[in-house]
Amino acid sequence: MKKLAVVSLLLAGCATAPPDTPSVMVLPGSGKSFDQFRFDDYECRQFAGSQVGGKSPGQAQADSGLKSAAVGTAVGAAAGGLIGGNAGAGVGAGLGLATGALAGTSAANASGYSLQHRYDIGYQQCMYAKGHQIPMAARYTPYRPTRQAAPPPPPPPPGIPPAPPPA
């Protein structure tokens, strides 16, 4: 039982926490000093943090993982108790913890990614509004042949020559 709990906690710790900083590149704007860039960077990090409710992606992951493990333990204990009495409750709690930890790892990663994405968007919006540059990936456009020019009109029919131009 104790081994199962230790293994479950180790598995729950496998969730990687994204950084609590922007994961996107922003460059100083034209005519902006590096000191101005650093000042704006600090201000925009505060803004981005407020856009995600003041919670860091790492905190969102930890909260989600712990909630899933706790719910799994409770459900496992209840199911084990119903199936096998008191002895089954302990085993059920251990299995529930393991299952909850595994499910929590996936839920934690999704929560952290979503929060990091929202944080990055808020940060980029703020920095762009302050006049800094957001690098963009070049788009590949496949070669498409251009339309051919319309052919010239056919020559006039033979016979009567055209009138000379006015002098």
Side-chain angles (χ1 to χ4, degrees):
M1 173 70 177
K2 288 183 181 180
K3 288 181 184 179
L4 185 60
V6 170
V7 170
S8 299
L9 291 175
L10 289 175
L11 287 175
C14 289
T16 57
D20 297 336
T21 60
S23 63
V24 292
M25 183 189 302
V26 175
L27 302 170
S30 300
K32 299 269 186 175
S33 70
F34 189 69
D35 287 336
Q36 181 64 46
F37 177 79
R38 286 180 40 215
F39 178 79
D40 291 343
D41 175 67
Y42 177 78
E43 205 172 84
C44 288
R45 285 175 190 235
Q46 300 300 315
F47 172 77
S50 71
Q51 293 299 298
V52 294
K55 187 180 270 195
S56 73
Q59 288 170 328
Q61 278 190 318
D63 292 350
S64 182
L66 289 174
K67 285 178 187 174
S68 294
V71 168
T73 302
V75 169
L82 290 173
I83 294 170
N86 289 338
V91 173
L95 290 175
L97 176 62
T99 305
L102 290 174
T105 299
S106 177
N109 284 335
S111 296
Y113 176 79
S114 173
L115 206 62
Q116 182 70 53
H117 184 69
R118 289 181 14 225
Y119 181 94
D120 289 343
I121 288 174
Y123 176 76
Q124 284 183 317
Q125 288 173 338
C126 178
M127 290 297 279
Y128 187 78
K130 291 183 175 293
H132 298 287
Q133 299 176 12
I134 310 294
M136 301 299 288
R139 289 188 171 212
Y140 170 75
T141 53
Y143 172 75
R144 293 191 182 137
T146 57
R147 294 178 109 192
Q148 296 287 333
I160 305 171

